[in-house]
PDB file of all heavy atoms in Angstrom:
ATOM      1  N   SER A 342      10.658  -2.709   3.522  1.00 98.00           N
ATOM      2  CA  SER A 342      10.179  -1.445   2.882  1.00 98.00           C
ATOM      3  C   SER A 342       9.138  -0.826   3.685  1.00 98.00           C
ATOM      4  O   SER A 342       8.330  -1.556   4.373  1.00 98.00           O
ATOM      5  CB  SER A 342       9.718  -1.915   1.491  1.00 98.00           C
ATOM      6  OG  SER A 342       8.503  -2.671   1.505  1.00 98.00           O
ATOM      7  N   ILE A 343       9.003   0.505   3.481  1.00 98.00           N
ATOM      8  CA  ILE A 343       7.876   1.220   4.175  1.00 98.00           C
ATOM      9  C   ILE A 343       7.292   2.140   3.173  1.00 98.00           C
ATOM     10  O   ILE A 343       8.057   2.935   2.474  1.00 98.00           O
ATOM     11  CB  ILE A 343       8.528   2.061   5.333  1.00 98.00           C
ATOM     12  CG1 ILE A 343       9.090   1.129   6.426  1.00 98.00           C
ATOM     13  CG2 ILE A 343       7.316   2.915   5.970  1.00 98.00           C
ATOM     14  CD1 ILE A 343       9.779   1.959   7.418  1.00 98.00           C
ATOM     15  N   SER A 344       6.009   2.144   2.889  1.00 98.00           N
ATOM     16  CA  SER A 344       5.353   3.056   1.961  1.00 98.00           C
ATOM     17  C   SER A 344       5.009   4.251   2.761  1.00 98.00           C
ATOM     18  O   SER A 344       4.569   4.184   3.935  1.00 98.00           O
ATOM     19  CB  SER A 344       4.125   2.355   1.291  1.00 98.00           C
ATOM     20  OG  SER A 344       3.319   1.769   2.263  1.00 98.00           O
ATOM     21  N   THR A 345       4.962   5.401   2.182  1.00 98.00           N
ATOM     22  CA  THR A 345       4.678   6.675   2.856  1.00 98.00           C
ATOM     23  C   THR A 345       3.966   7.585   1.873  1.00 98.00           C
ATOM     24  O   THR A 345       3.848   7.339   0.696  1.00 98.00           O
ATOM     25  CB  THR A 345       5.915   7.328   3.467  1.00 98.00           C
ATOM     26  OG1 THR A 345       5.574   8.429   4.300  1.00 98.00           O
ATOM     27  CG2 THR A 345       6.835   7.749   2.326  1.00 98.00           C
ATOM     28  N   LEU A 346       3.406   8.679   2.444  1.00 97.00           N
ATOM     29  CA  LEU A 346       2.600   9.648   1.639  1.00 97.00           C
ATOM     30  C   LEU A 346       3.555  10.361   0.712  1.00 97.00           C
ATOM     31  O   LEU A 346       4.764  10.536   0.943  1.00 97.00           O
ATOM     32  CB  LEU A 346       1.832  10.555   2.571  1.00 97.00           C
ATOM     33  CG  LEU A 346       2.436  11.586   3.454  1.00 97.00           C
ATOM     34  CD1 LEU A 346       2.698  12.888   2.671  1.00 97.00           C
ATOM     35  CD2 LEU A 346       1.675  11.804   4.691  1.00 97.00           C
ATOM     36  N   PRO A 347       2.976  10.835  -0.425  1.00 98.00           N
ATOM     37  CA  PRO A 347       3.822  11.523  -1.503  1.00 98.00           C
ATOM     38  C   PRO A 347       4.063  12.941  -1.100  1.00 98.00           C
ATOM     39  O   PRO A 347       3.624  13.903  -1.798  1.00 98.00           O
ATOM     40  CB  PRO A 347       2.913  11.326  -2.736  1.00 98.00           C
ATOM     41  CG  PRO A 347       1.593  11.278  -2.201  1.00 98.00           C
ATOM     42  CD  PRO A 347       1.637  10.551  -0.873  1.00 98.00           C
ATOM     43  N   LEU A 348       4.836  13.159  -0.039  1.00 98.00           N
ATOM     44  CA  LEU A 348       5.369  14.436   0.428  1.00 98.00           C
ATOM     45  C   LEU A 348       4.206  15.159   1.231  1.00 98.00           C
ATOM     46  O   LEU A 348       4.425  15.388   2.411  1.00 98.00           O
ATOM     47  CB  LEU A 348       5.938  15.255  -0.629  1.00 98.00           C
ATOM     48  CG  LEU A 348       7.035  14.675  -1.475  1.00 98.00           C
ATOM     49  CD1 LEU A 348       7.631  15.676  -2.410  1.00 98.00           C
ATOM     50  CD2 LEU A 348       8.093  13.956  -0.639  1.00 98.00           C
ATOM     51  N   ALA A 349       3.114  15.515   0.561  1.00 98.00           N
ATOM     52  CA  ALA A 349       2.116  16.340   1.206  1.00 98.00           C
ATOM     53  C   ALA A 349       0.922  16.581   0.285  1.00 98.00           C
ATOM     54  O   ALA A 349       0.971  16.216  -0.985  1.00 98.00           O
ATOM     55  CB  ALA A 349       2.622  17.723   1.525  1.00 98.00           C
ATOM     56  N   TRP A 350      -0.216  16.880   0.814  1.00 98.00           N
ATOM     57  CA  TRP A 350      -1.273  17.315  -0.045  1.00 98.00           C
ATOM     58  C   TRP A 350      -0.871  18.515  -0.746  1.00 98.00           C
ATOM     59  O   TRP A 350       0.049  19.254  -0.349  1.00 98.00           O
ATOM     60  CB  TRP A 350      -2.533  17.696   0.849  1.00 98.00           C
ATOM     61  CG  TRP A 350      -3.796  17.961   0.127  1.00 98.00           C
ATOM     62  CD1 TRP A 350      -4.390  19.095  -0.004  1.00 98.00           C
ATOM     63  CD2 TRP A 350      -4.642  16.959  -0.636  1.00 98.00           C
ATOM     64  NE1 TRP A 350      -5.584  18.988  -0.829  1.00 98.00           N
ATOM     65  CE2 TRP A 350      -5.700  17.724  -1.165  1.00 98.00           C
ATOM     66  CE3 TRP A 350      -4.524  15.655  -0.895  1.00 98.00           C
ATOM     67  CZ2 TRP A 350      -6.619  17.050  -1.950  1.00 98.00           C
ATOM     68  CZ3 TRP A 350      -5.528  14.984  -1.667  1.00 98.00           C
ATOM     69  CH2 TRP A 350      -6.550  15.666  -2.204  1.00 98.00           C
ATOM     70  N   ARG A 351      -1.576  18.764  -1.903  1.00 97.00           N
ATOM     71  CA  ARG A 351      -0.930  19.734  -2.870  1.00 97.00           C
ATOM     72  C   ARG A 351      -1.033  21.142  -2.347  1.00 97.00           C
ATOM     73  O   ARG A 351      -0.349  22.160  -2.905  1.00 97.00           O
ATOM     74  CB  ARG A 351      -1.643  19.619  -4.286  1.00 97.00           C
ATOM     75  CG  ARG A 351      -3.110  19.997  -4.262  1.00 97.00           C
ATOM     76  CD  ARG A 351      -3.737  19.884  -5.538  1.00 97.00           C
ATOM     77  NE  ARG A 351      -5.123  20.325  -5.665  1.00 97.00           N
ATOM     78  CZ  ARG A 351      -6.156  19.582  -5.204  1.00 97.00           C
ATOM     79  NH1 ARG A 351      -5.931  18.437  -4.737  1.00 97.00           N
ATOM     80  NH2 ARG A 351      -7.360  20.130  -5.241  1.00 97.00           N
TER      81      ARG A 351
END
Side-chain angles (χ1 to χ4, degrees):
S342 65
I343 300 169
S344 50
T345 188
L346 65 91
L348 305 188
W350 188 250
R351 69 181 183 278

